[in-house]
Amino acid sequence: MEIKRQHWALAAVPLALALLAATGCESTPGARAMPGAAPSTPVARVCAKPAAGPAKAPAGAVTVDPAVVGDLAAKTKSSPPNTTFWLRPGKHRLDPDRYAQVIPKEGNRYLGAPGAVLDGRKKNQYAFGGTARNVTIRYLTVQRFVAPRDEGVVNHDSADEWVIEHATIQHNSGAGLMAGARQRVRASCLRDNGQYGMNAYKGTGRISGLVVEGNEIVGNNTDNWEQRRKGCGCTGGIKFWAVNGADVRGNWVHDNRGTGLWADTNNNDFRIEDNVLEENDGAALIYETSYNAVIRKNTIRRNNWVEARKYAEHGDNFPFATIYLSESGGEPRIRARTDKIEIYRNVLENNWSGITLWENADRFCNSPANTSSGDCTLLVKNTDRCAQPAIATAPLYADCRWKTQRVDIHGNRFVLDKSVVDCTVKCDRMAVLANYGTYPDWSPYQGERVAEAITSKQHNRWHDNVYLGPWKFVAHDPSRILNSGQWQGAPYRQDAGSTFRAGDGG
């Protein structure tokens, strides 16, 4: 991860809509359809209006009694695979041992009655763990577990093919939920967890086929981990690590301390669409050292007011933005549903700045400046190959670094009213830039090579957008701040076909 950006001077849908309607979604208040941009997006208000589970035990289900401590874990252990468990109304508890947890068997289904809660009482670390596949958890509230940092409460061991639906996972330490391959998280409330709502990380192998749909992801990182471990990059609504194929659609991601959605290190083939991302303290979306994504038809508003303002008030000139692409781009050699990063038909309204495309010239495989320590690009399996003299020549010169390339930004509507954001400077920028390469001394990327490449040689393109408000543009490095005419003119030639109305944003 790279939460602190290096400076120039430093050395270093139909199903979604059906789910939303079924879970009490409402149209965004005051939203209007905007020509050439995203239509009004429904809001998944699942935390305020959770769906109720079955009031009676389904035929053949094992009934779990909240009056018996440890009943859920014990009956799971004594029952065969593919058993359905129905949790009666009330507060269910595990044995008081910190490691006591439910270890499902393959095909198990856990259904909560109205008012069924599995409560860790701030004593148990994990709720559901183990490696069994095809486990389903529905209509159940899971709360007050104390998982350690970077670990999760539900699906603690990142087992595959779990389904989490109509669940409320709240007030836990660590991550409320982990993810495995082909996991489905739908119509659930991931609220007020200490670190993440969900940590999509698997210790062995990559996660594939992940679906996150129609959820409300709110108020996470209550333990403020970025302050406890400076620059850890370990917080947000959801963090994705090495996920190959994800559909993130129809979610309401709001009021998280830190970033809303953060894909970090060798993710690929994401579709992020029809979400409402608003009022997160940090960026709405970070896509970092990753590949091939479609980001479309999202409503993105009032993000990054807290974190970006803090940097600006301390004199930081970096163009912190609400969508931040860091060393991420399209790569045709990596199989995906697209071979670029396409950002289109989104509405971005009164965020701290817009979209920043960035590369750290000093960050590449085998460099001490690579904050994704030990990781290399998906094009180079052996990190040790990225060393002199081979790294200075093809193909390693290109393949040993993650590149922000083939980014296509079009058909978006960018609205900025500085009186709403309450700022005068540094909140009004689009950017494509890199730092001056200096480190390590054997790096072949020293000087302005990377800045020149990301700005003019890597097929990064804005076009056919609408800008309302006093927007500025940054190209090559933080010192080059341009007006719209300079941005559209030579040598940058960006935003062909776009319109600019400086007074219309307020």
Side-chain angles (χ1 to χ4, degrees), residues 390-451:
I391 193 174
T393 59
L396 293 181
Y397 180 84
D399 292 352
C400 286
R401 63 176 301 109
W402 295 272
K403 291 187 290 186
T404 302
Q405 64 179 7
R406 299 174 59 84
V407 180
D408 189 358
I409 301 168
H410 64 95
N412 302 286
R413 187 177 182 94
F414 300 108
V415 180
L416 177 63
D417 184 337
K418 287 187 174 182
S419 69
V420 174
V421 182
D422 189 24
C423 71
T424 56
V425 295
K426 299 182 181 179
C427 65
D428 52 3
R429 293 177 287 179
M430 299 280 163
V432 52
L433 76 165
N435 60 324
Y436 191 91
T438 61
Y439 181 78
D441 58 9
W442 53 269
S443 168
Y445 312 109
Q446 295 188 22
E448 299 185 7
R449 295 177 184 180
V450 174

Short mmCIF file of all heavy atoms in Angstrom, two decimals, residues 390-451:
data_model
loop_
_atom_site.label_atom_id
_atom_site.label_comp_id
_atom_site.label_asym_id
_atom_site.label_seq_id
_atom_site.Cartn_x
_atom_site.Cartn_y
_atom_site.Cartn_z
N ALA A 390 19.57 -6.24 -15.91
CA ALA A 390 18.44 -6.62 -16.77
C ALA A 390 17.28 -5.63 -16.70
O ALA A 390 16.59 -5.41 -17.70
CB ALA A 390 17.95 -8.02 -16.38
N ILE A 391 17.05 -5.01 -15.54
CA ILE A 391 15.90 -4.13 -15.39
C ILE A 391 15.98 -2.89 -16.28
O ILE A 391 14.97 -2.27 -16.59
CB ILE A 391 15.72 -3.70 -13.91
CG1 ILE A 391 14.34 -3.06 -13.70
CG2 ILE A 391 16.84 -2.79 -13.46
CD1 ILE A 391 14.02 -2.75 -12.27
N ALA A 392 17.16 -2.57 -16.74
CA ALA A 392 17.32 -1.37 -17.56
C ALA A 392 16.95 -1.60 -19.02
O ALA A 392 16.93 -0.64 -19.81
CB ALA A 392 18.76 -0.86 -17.46
N THR A 393 16.62 -2.82 -19.39
CA THR A 393 16.31 -3.13 -20.79
C THR A 393 14.99 -3.89 -20.88
O THR A 393 14.48 -4.41 -19.89
CB THR A 393 17.42 -3.97 -21.43
OG1 THR A 393 17.57 -5.19 -20.69
CG2 THR A 393 18.75 -3.22 -21.41
N ALA A 394 14.43 -3.93 -22.08
CA ALA A 394 13.19 -4.66 -22.32
C ALA A 394 13.41 -6.17 -22.10
O ALA A 394 14.49 -6.67 -22.37
CB ALA A 394 12.70 -4.41 -23.73
N PRO A 395 12.39 -6.90 -21.60
CA PRO A 395 11.06 -6.40 -21.25
C PRO A 395 10.93 -5.92 -19.81
O PRO A 395 9.92 -5.35 -19.43
CB PRO A 395 10.19 -7.63 -21.47
CG PRO A 395 11.08 -8.76 -21.05
CD PRO A 395 12.46 -8.38 -21.52
N LEU A 396 11.96 -6.13 -18.98
CA LEU A 396 11.83 -5.86 -17.56
C LEU A 396 11.71 -4.37 -17.25
O LEU A 396 11.08 -3.99 -16.27
CB LEU A 396 13.01 -6.46 -16.79
CG LEU A 396 13.08 -7.99 -16.78
CD1 LEU A 396 14.28 -8.46 -15.98
CD2 LEU A 396 11.79 -8.59 -16.23
N TYR A 397 12.28 -3.52 -18.10
CA TYR A 397 12.15 -2.09 -17.85
C TYR A 397 10.67 -1.70 -17.75
O TYR A 397 10.29 -0.89 -16.89
CB TYR A 397 12.83 -1.29 -18.95
CG TYR A 397 12.74 0.21 -18.76
CD1 TYR A 397 13.63 0.88 -17.95
CD2 TYR A 397 11.72 0.94 -19.39
CE1 TYR A 397 13.54 2.26 -17.76
CE2 TYR A 397 11.61 2.31 -19.21
CZ TYR A 397 12.53 2.97 -18.39
OH TYR A 397 12.41 4.33 -18.21
N ALA A 398 9.84 -2.26 -18.60
CA ALA A 398 8.41 -1.97 -18.56
C ALA A 398 7.67 -2.85 -17.54
O ALA A 398 6.77 -2.38 -16.85
CB ALA A 398 7.80 -2.17 -19.94
N ASP A 399 8.06 -4.10 -17.42
CA ASP A 399 7.25 -5.06 -16.66
C ASP A 399 7.53 -5.07 -15.17
O ASP A 399 6.74 -5.64 -14.40
CB ASP A 399 7.46 -6.46 -17.23
CG ASP A 399 6.90 -6.61 -18.63
OD1 ASP A 399 6.21 -5.68 -19.09
OD2 ASP A 399 7.15 -7.67 -19.26
N CYS A 400 8.62 -4.49 -14.73
CA CYS A 400 8.95 -4.48 -13.31
C CYS A 400 8.27 -3.36 -12.53
O CYS A 400 8.46 -3.26 -11.32
CB CYS A 400 10.47 -4.38 -13.11
SG CYS A 400 11.36 -5.91 -13.48
N ARG A 401 7.49 -2.52 -13.22
CA ARG A 401 6.80 -1.48 -12.49
C ARG A 401 5.32 -1.51 -12.85
O ARG A 401 4.92 -1.83 -13.97
CB ARG A 401 7.38 -0.10 -12.75
CG ARG A 401 7.30 0.42 -14.17
CD ARG A 401 7.84 1.85 -14.27
NE ARG A 401 7.13 2.78 -13.42
CZ ARG A 401 7.64 3.33 -12.32
NH1 ARG A 401 8.89 3.08 -11.95
NH2 ARG A 401 6.93 4.15 -11.60
N TRP A 402 4.50 -1.23 -11.84
CA TRP A 402 3.08 -1.02 -12.09
C TRP A 402 2.94 0.34 -12.77
O TRP A 402 3.52 1.33 -12.33
CB TRP A 402 2.30 -1.01 -10.78
CG TRP A 402 2.30 -2.30 -10.04
CD1 TRP A 402 1.41 -3.33 -10.19
CD2 TRP A 402 3.18 -2.71 -8.99
NE1 TRP A 402 1.69 -4.35 -9.32
CE2 TRP A 402 2.77 -3.99 -8.56
CE3 TRP A 402 4.29 -2.12 -8.36
CZ2 TRP A 402 3.42 -4.69 -7.54
CZ3 TRP A 402 4.93 -2.80 -7.36
CH2 TRP A 402 4.50 -4.08 -6.95
N LYS A 403 2.14 0.40 -13.82
CA LYS A 403 2.04 1.63 -14.59
C LYS A 403 0.61 2.14 -14.66
O LYS A 403 -0.33 1.36 -14.86
CB LYS A 403 2.57 1.41 -16.02
CG LYS A 403 4.07 1.17 -16.08
CD LYS A 403 4.58 1.12 -17.50
CE LYS A 403 4.12 -0.13 -18.21
NZ LYS A 403 4.75 -0.25 -19.55
N THR A 404 0.47 3.44 -14.51
CA THR A 404 -0.82 4.08 -14.72
C THR A 404 -0.92 4.38 -16.21
O THR A 404 -0.34 5.36 -16.70
CB THR A 404 -0.93 5.35 -13.87
OG1 THR A 404 -0.76 4.99 -12.49
CG2 THR A 404 -2.29 6.00 -14.03
N GLN A 405 -1.62 3.52 -16.91
CA GLN A 405 -1.67 3.60 -18.37
C GLN A 405 -3.04 3.18 -18.86
O GLN A 405 -3.80 2.51 -18.15
CB GLN A 405 -0.60 2.69 -18.99
CG GLN A 405 -0.84 1.20 -18.69
CD GLN A 405 0.19 0.29 -19.32
OE1 GLN A 405 1.18 0.74 -19.88
NE2 GLN A 405 -0.04 -1.02 -19.24
N ARG A 406 -3.38 3.58 -20.08
CA ARG A 406 -4.63 3.17 -20.72
C ARG A 406 -5.84 3.48 -19.82
O ARG A 406 -6.73 2.65 -19.66
CB ARG A 406 -4.58 1.69 -21.08
CG ARG A 406 -3.47 1.34 -22.07
CD ARG A 406 -3.34 -0.15 -22.29
NE ARG A 406 -4.58 -0.74 -22.79
CZ ARG A 406 -4.95 -0.78 -24.07
NH1 ARG A 406 -4.16 -0.22 -24.99
NH2 ARG A 406 -6.08 -1.36 -24.42
N VAL A 407 -5.83 4.68 -19.26
CA VAL A 407 -6.97 5.14 -18.44
C VAL A 407 -7.82 6.07 -19.30
O VAL A 407 -7.31 7.06 -19.84
CB VAL A 407 -6.49 5.85 -17.17
CG1 VAL A 407 -7.69 6.30 -16.34
CG2 VAL A 407 -5.59 4.92 -16.34
N ASP A 408 -9.10 5.77 -19.42
CA ASP A 408 -10.02 6.51 -20.28
C ASP A 408 -11.13 7.10 -19.42
O ASP A 408 -11.95 6.37 -18.86
CB ASP A 408 -10.61 5.54 -21.32
CG ASP A 408 -11.41 6.25 -22.40
OD1 ASP A 408 -11.55 7.48 -22.34
OD2 ASP A 408 -11.91 5.55 -23.32
N ILE A 409 -11.12 8.44 -19.29
CA ILE A 409 -12.05 9.15 -18.40
C ILE A 409 -12.97 9.99 -19.27
O ILE A 409 -12.55 10.98 -19.88
CB ILE A 409 -11.26 10.04 -17.42
CG1 ILE A 409 -10.29 9.19 -16.59
CG2 ILE A 409 -12.21 10.83 -16.52
CD1 ILE A 409 -9.27 10.01 -15.82
N HIS A 410 -14.25 9.60 -19.34
CA HIS A 410 -15.13 10.31 -20.28
C HIS A 410 -16.59 10.25 -19.81
O HIS A 410 -16.99 9.35 -19.06
CB HIS A 410 -15.03 9.70 -21.68
CG HIS A 410 -15.49 8.26 -21.76
ND1 HIS A 410 -16.76 7.91 -22.15
CD2 HIS A 410 -14.84 7.09 -21.51
CE1 HIS A 410 -16.88 6.60 -22.15
NE2 HIS A 410 -15.73 6.08 -21.75
N GLY A 411 -17.36 11.22 -20.27
CA GLY A 411 -18.79 11.23 -20.00
C GLY A 411 -19.16 11.43 -18.55
O GLY A 411 -20.27 11.09 -18.13
N ASN A 412 -18.24 11.98 -17.76
CA ASN A 412 -18.51 12.23 -16.35
C ASN A 412 -18.97 13.67 -16.12
O ASN A 412 -18.72 14.55 -16.96
CB ASN A 412 -17.24 11.97 -15.52
CG ASN A 412 -16.73 10.56 -15.70
OD1 ASN A 412 -17.30 9.62 -15.18
ND2 ASN A 412 -15.65 10.42 -16.47
N ARG A 413 -19.59 13.91 -15.01
CA ARG A 413 -20.03 15.25 -14.63
C ARG A 413 -19.33 15.62 -13.33
O ARG A 413 -19.52 14.95 -12.30
CB ARG A 413 -21.54 15.29 -14.46
CG ARG A 413 -22.13 16.68 -14.23
CD ARG A 413 -23.66 16.56 -14.14
NE ARG A 413 -24.31 17.84 -13.96
CZ ARG A 413 -24.78 18.59 -14.96
NH1 ARG A 413 -24.63 18.16 -16.21
NH2 ARG A 413 -25.39 19.73 -14.72
N PHE A 414 -18.50 16.65 -13.37
CA PHE A 414 -17.72 17.08 -12.21
C PHE A 414 -18.27 18.43 -11.73
O PHE A 414 -18.21 19.43 -12.45
CB PHE A 414 -16.24 17.24 -12.58
CG PHE A 414 -15.61 15.97 -13.09
CD1 PHE A 414 -15.29 15.84 -14.44
CD2 PHE A 414 -15.31 14.93 -12.24
CE1 PHE A 414 -14.70 14.68 -14.92
CE2 PHE A 414 -14.72 13.77 -12.72
CZ PHE A 414 -14.41 13.63 -14.06
N VAL A 415 -18.81 18.45 -10.52
CA VAL A 415 -19.43 19.64 -9.97
C VAL A 415 -18.66 20.06 -8.72
O VAL A 415 -18.38 19.24 -7.85
CB VAL A 415 -20.90 19.38 -9.59
CG1 VAL A 415 -21.55 20.63 -9.01
CG2 VAL A 415 -21.68 18.88 -10.80
N LEU A 416 -18.30 21.34 -8.66
CA LEU A 416 -17.58 21.86 -7.50
C LEU A 416 -18.12 23.22 -7.10
O LEU A 416 -18.11 24.16 -7.90
CB LEU A 416 -16.08 21.97 -7.79
CG LEU A 416 -15.23 22.58 -6.66
CD1 LEU A 416 -15.29 21.69 -5.42
CD2 LEU A 416 -13.79 22.78 -7.12
N ASP A 417 -18.58 23.32 -5.88
CA ASP A 417 -18.96 24.59 -5.26
C ASP A 417 -18.08 24.75 -4.03
O ASP A 417 -18.26 24.06 -3.02
CB ASP A 417 -20.44 24.56 -4.88
CG ASP A 417 -20.94 25.89 -4.32
OD1 ASP A 417 -20.11 26.68 -3.83
OD2 ASP A 417 -22.17 26.13 -4.37
N LYS A 418 -17.10 25.63 -4.11
CA LYS A 418 -16.14 25.77 -3.01
C LYS A 418 -16.79 26.24 -1.72
O LYS A 418 -16.26 25.96 -0.63
CB LYS A 418 -15.02 26.72 -3.42
CG LYS A 418 -14.05 26.13 -4.43
CD LYS A 418 -12.86 27.06 -4.65
CE LYS A 418 -11.82 26.43 -5.55
NZ LYS A 418 -10.64 27.30 -5.74
N SER A 419 -17.91 26.92 -1.81
CA SER A 419 -18.59 27.33 -0.58
C SER A 419 -19.19 26.14 0.15
O SER A 419 -19.33 26.15 1.38
CB SER A 419 -19.67 28.37 -0.90
OG SER A 419 -20.75 27.77 -1.62
N VAL A 420 -19.53 25.08 -0.59
CA VAL A 420 -20.04 23.86 0.03
C VAL A 420 -18.89 23.06 0.64
O VAL A 420 -18.96 22.58 1.77
CB VAL A 420 -20.81 23.01 -1.00
CG1 VAL A 420 -21.20 21.66 -0.40
CG2 VAL A 420 -22.05 23.75 -1.47
N VAL A 421 -17.80 22.93 -0.11
CA VAL A 421 -16.64 22.18 0.37
C VAL A 421 -15.91 22.95 1.47
O VAL A 421 -15.19 22.37 2.27
CB VAL A 421 -15.69 21.86 -0.80
CG1 VAL A 421 -14.49 21.05 -0.35
CG2 VAL A 421 -16.44 21.10 -1.89
N ASP A 422 -16.13 24.27 1.50
CA ASP A 422 -15.48 25.16 2.47
C ASP A 422 -13.96 25.16 2.28
O ASP A 422 -13.19 24.82 3.18
CB ASP A 422 -15.83 24.77 3.91
CG ASP A 422 -15.34 25.81 4.93
OD1 ASP A 422 -15.15 26.98 4.55
OD2 ASP A 422 -15.16 25.43 6.11
N CYS A 423 -13.56 25.52 1.06
CA CYS A 423 -12.14 25.61 0.76
C CYS A 423 -11.92 26.76 -0.20
O CYS A 423 -12.85 27.23 -0.87
CB CYS A 423 -11.63 24.32 0.14
SG CYS A 423 -12.22 24.06 -1.54
N THR A 424 -10.68 27.22 -0.27
CA THR A 424 -10.31 28.25 -1.24
C THR A 424 -9.30 27.75 -2.25
O THR A 424 -9.30 28.18 -3.40
CB THR A 424 -9.75 29.49 -0.51
OG1 THR A 424 -8.63 29.08 0.32
CG2 THR A 424 -10.81 30.14 0.37
N VAL A 425 -8.42 26.85 -1.84
CA VAL A 425 -7.39 26.33 -2.73
C VAL A 425 -7.22 24.84 -2.51
O VAL A 425 -7.65 24.28 -1.49
CB VAL A 425 -6.03 27.03 -2.51
CG1 VAL A 425 -6.11 28.50 -2.87
CG2 VAL A 425 -5.56 26.85 -1.07
N LYS A 426 -6.62 24.17 -3.48
CA LYS A 426 -6.18 22.77 -3.43
C LYS A 426 -7.31 21.74 -3.40
O LYS A 426 -7.05 20.54 -3.27
CB LYS A 426 -5.27 22.52 -2.21
CG LYS A 426 -3.99 23.36 -2.24
CD LYS A 426 -3.11 23.05 -1.04
CE LYS A 426 -1.85 23.90 -1.05
NZ LYS A 426 -1.00 23.64 0.12
N CYS A 427 -8.57 22.20 -3.56
CA CYS A 427 -9.68 21.24 -3.58
C CYS A 427 -10.33 21.17 -4.95
O CYS A 427 -11.42 20.63 -5.09
CB CYS A 427 -10.73 21.64 -2.55
SG CYS A 427 -11.54 23.22 -2.90
N ASP A 428 -9.66 21.70 -5.99
CA ASP A 428 -10.30 21.96 -7.27
C ASP A 428 -9.54 21.35 -8.45
O ASP A 428 -9.58 21.88 -9.54
CB ASP A 428 -10.43 23.47 -7.47
CG ASP A 428 -9.10 24.21 -7.29
OD1 ASP A 428 -8.06 23.54 -7.06
OD2 ASP A 428 -9.10 25.44 -7.38
N ARG A 429 -8.87 20.19 -8.25
CA ARG A 429 -7.91 19.75 -9.26
C ARG A 429 -8.20 18.35 -9.82
O ARG A 429 -8.67 17.47 -9.12
CB ARG A 429 -6.50 19.79 -8.66
CG ARG A 429 -6.03 21.21 -8.36
CD ARG A 429 -4.67 21.25 -7.71
NE ARG A 429 -4.73 20.81 -6.33
CZ ARG A 429 -3.65 20.74 -5.54
NH1 ARG A 429 -2.46 21.09 -5.99
NH2 ARG A 429 -3.78 20.34 -4.29
N MET A 430 -7.91 18.22 -11.10
CA MET A 430 -7.71 16.94 -11.78
C MET A 430 -6.21 16.83 -12.01
O MET A 430 -5.54 17.84 -12.22
CB MET A 430 -8.40 16.91 -13.13
CG MET A 430 -9.89 17.08 -13.09
SD MET A 430 -10.69 15.53 -12.65
CE MET A 430 -12.29 16.21 -12.18
N ALA A 431 -5.68 15.60 -12.04
CA ALA A 431 -4.22 15.51 -12.14
C ALA A 431 -3.76 14.23 -12.81
O ALA A 431 -4.37 13.17 -12.65
CB ALA A 431 -3.60 15.62 -10.74
N VAL A 432 -2.65 14.37 -13.53
CA VAL A 432 -1.90 13.22 -14.04
C VAL A 432 -0.43 13.56 -13.84
O VAL A 432 0.09 14.51 -14.43
CB VAL A 432 -2.24 12.91 -15.51
CG1 VAL A 432 -2.11 14.12 -16.41
CG2 VAL A 432 -1.41 11.74 -16.02
N LEU A 433 0.28 12.82 -12.99
CA LEU A 433 1.62 13.25 -12.60
C LEU A 433 2.42 12.12 -11.96
O LEU A 433 1.89 11.06 -11.62
CB LEU A 433 1.53 14.42 -11.62
CG LEU A 433 1.14 14.13 -10.16
CD1 LEU A 433 1.45 15.33 -9.27
CD2 LEU A 433 -0.32 13.74 -10.00
N ALA A 434 3.71 12.40 -11.78
CA ALA A 434 4.63 11.51 -11.06
C ALA A 434 5.66 12.37 -10.35
O ALA A 434 5.77 13.58 -10.59
CB ALA A 434 5.31 10.53 -12.02
N ASN A 435 6.44 11.73 -9.49
CA ASN A 435 7.52 12.43 -8.83
C ASN A 435 8.82 12.30 -9.63
O ASN A 435 8.90 11.56 -10.61
CB ASN A 435 7.73 11.89 -7.40
CG ASN A 435 8.07 10.41 -7.40
OD1 ASN A 435 7.57 9.65 -8.20
ND2 ASN A 435 8.94 10.00 -6.48
N TYR A 436 9.82 12.99 -9.22
CA TYR A 436 11.15 12.95 -9.83
C TYR A 436 11.88 11.74 -9.27
O TYR A 436 12.09 11.62 -8.06
CB TYR A 436 11.89 14.24 -9.49
CG TYR A 436 13.17 14.47 -10.25
CD1 TYR A 436 13.17 15.18 -11.45
CD2 TYR A 436 14.38 14.01 -9.75
CE1 TYR A 436 14.35 15.41 -12.14
CE2 TYR A 436 15.57 14.23 -10.43
CZ TYR A 436 15.55 14.93 -11.63
OH TYR A 436 16.72 15.16 -12.31
N GLY A 437 12.26 10.79 -10.13
CA GLY A 437 12.88 9.57 -9.66
C GLY A 437 14.28 9.79 -9.12
O GLY A 437 15.12 10.40 -9.77
N THR A 438 14.54 9.26 -7.92
CA THR A 438 15.84 9.45 -7.28
C THR A 438 16.39 8.20 -6.60
O THR A 438 17.57 8.17 -6.24
CB THR A 438 15.76 10.55 -6.21
OG1 THR A 438 14.82 10.14 -5.20
CG2 THR A 438 15.33 11.87 -6.80
N TYR A 439 15.58 7.17 -6.39
CA TYR A 439 15.94 6.12 -5.45
C TYR A 439 15.41 4.79 -5.93
O TYR A 439 14.31 4.73 -6.51
CB TYR A 439 15.33 6.48 -4.09
CG TYR A 439 15.62 5.52 -2.97
CD1 TYR A 439 16.85 5.54 -2.33
CD2 TYR A 439 14.67 4.59 -2.56
CE1 TYR A 439 17.12 4.65 -1.29
CE2 TYR A 439 14.92 3.71 -1.54
CZ TYR A 439 16.15 3.74 -0.90
OH TYR A 439 16.43 2.86 0.12
N PRO A 440 16.16 3.70 -5.72
CA PRO A 440 17.53 3.60 -5.23
C PRO A 440 18.53 4.03 -6.30
O PRO A 440 18.15 4.34 -7.43
CB PRO A 440 17.66 2.12 -4.90
CG PRO A 440 16.72 1.45 -5.85
CD PRO A 440 15.55 2.37 -6.00
N ASP A 441 19.81 4.00 -5.95
CA ASP A 441 20.80 4.56 -6.88
C ASP A 441 20.95 3.73 -8.15
O ASP A 441 21.48 4.22 -9.15
CB ASP A 441 22.16 4.74 -6.19
CG ASP A 441 22.73 3.45 -5.62
OD1 ASP A 441 22.16 2.36 -5.90
OD2 ASP A 441 23.73 3.52 -4.89
N TRP A 442 20.46 2.48 -8.16
CA TRP A 442 20.54 1.66 -9.37
C TRP A 442 19.25 1.71 -10.19
O TRP A 442 19.12 1.01 -11.20
CB TRP A 442 20.86 0.21 -9.00
CG TRP A 442 19.95 -0.41 -7.97
CD1 TRP A 442 20.13 -0.42 -6.63
CD2 TRP A 442 18.74 -1.14 -8.23
NE1 TRP A 442 19.10 -1.08 -6.01
CE2 TRP A 442 18.23 -1.54 -6.97
CE3 TRP A 442 18.04 -1.47 -9.37
CZ2 TRP A 442 17.05 -2.26 -6.84
CZ3 TRP A 442 16.85 -2.18 -9.25
CH2 TRP A 442 16.37 -2.57 -8.00
N SER A 443 18.30 2.52 -9.78
CA SER A 443 17.02 2.58 -10.49
C SER A 443 17.19 3.10 -11.92
O SER A 443 17.86 4.11 -12.15
CB SER A 443 16.05 3.51 -9.75
OG SER A 443 14.93 3.80 -10.54
N PRO A 444 16.55 2.46 -12.89
CA PRO A 444 16.59 2.98 -14.26
C PRO A 444 15.51 4.04 -14.52
O PRO A 444 15.37 4.52 -15.64
CB PRO A 444 16.32 1.74 -15.11
CG PRO A 444 15.41 0.91 -14.26
CD PRO A 444 15.86 1.16 -12.82
N TYR A 445 14.74 4.40 -13.47
CA TYR A 445 13.61 5.31 -13.63
C TYR A 445 13.88 6.69 -13.02
O TYR A 445 12.96 7.41 -12.66
CB TYR A 445 12.36 4.71 -12.98
CG TYR A 445 12.10 3.27 -13.36
CD1 TYR A 445 12.28 2.24 -12.43
CD2 TYR A 445 11.69 2.94 -14.64
CE1 TYR A 445 12.04 0.92 -12.78
CE2 TYR A 445 11.45 1.62 -15.01
CZ TYR A 445 11.64 0.61 -14.07
OH TYR A 445 11.41 -0.70 -14.42
N GLN A 446 15.13 7.05 -12.92
CA GLN A 446 15.47 8.31 -12.28
C GLN A 446 15.14 9.50 -13.18
O GLN A 446 14.96 9.38 -14.39
CB GLN A 446 16.95 8.32 -11.90
CG GLN A 446 17.28 7.28 -10.82
CD GLN A 446 18.69 7.41 -10.29
OE1 GLN A 446 19.31 8.46 -10.37
NE2 GLN A 446 19.20 6.32 -9.72
N GLY A 447 15.05 10.67 -12.54
CA GLY A 447 14.75 11.89 -13.28
C GLY A 447 13.28 12.00 -13.64
O GLY A 447 12.41 11.54 -12.90
N GLU A 448 12.99 12.58 -14.79
CA GLU A 448 11.62 12.87 -15.20
C GLU A 448 11.03 11.79 -16.12
O GLU A 448 9.96 11.99 -16.70
CB GLU A 448 11.58 14.22 -15.91
CG GLU A 448 12.03 15.38 -15.04
CD GLU A 448 11.86 16.72 -15.72
OE1 GLU A 448 11.27 16.75 -16.82
OE2 GLU A 448 12.30 17.73 -15.16
N ARG A 449 11.67 10.67 -16.24
CA ARG A 449 11.22 9.65 -17.20
C ARG A 449 9.78 9.21 -16.91
O ARG A 449 8.97 9.08 -17.83
CB ARG A 449 12.15 8.44 -17.14
CG ARG A 449 13.57 8.74 -17.60
CD ARG A 449 14.45 7.51 -17.45
NE ARG A 449 15.84 7.78 -17.81
CZ ARG A 449 16.81 6.89 -17.77
NH1 ARG A 449 16.53 5.64 -17.39
NH2 ARG A 449 18.05 7.22 -18.09
N VAL A 450 9.49 8.91 -15.67
CA VAL A 450 8.15 8.42 -15.35
C VAL A 450 7.12 9.53 -15.47
O VAL A 450 6.01 9.31 -15.97
CB VAL A 450 8.14 7.79 -13.95
CG1 VAL A 450 6.73 7.40 -13.52
CG2 VAL A 450 9.06 6.56 -13.91
N ALA A 451 7.46 10.74 -15.05
CA ALA A 451 6.53 11.87 -15.18
C ALA A 451 6.19 12.13 -16.65
O ALA A 451 5.03 12.39 -17.00
CB ALA A 451 7.14 13.12 -14.55
#
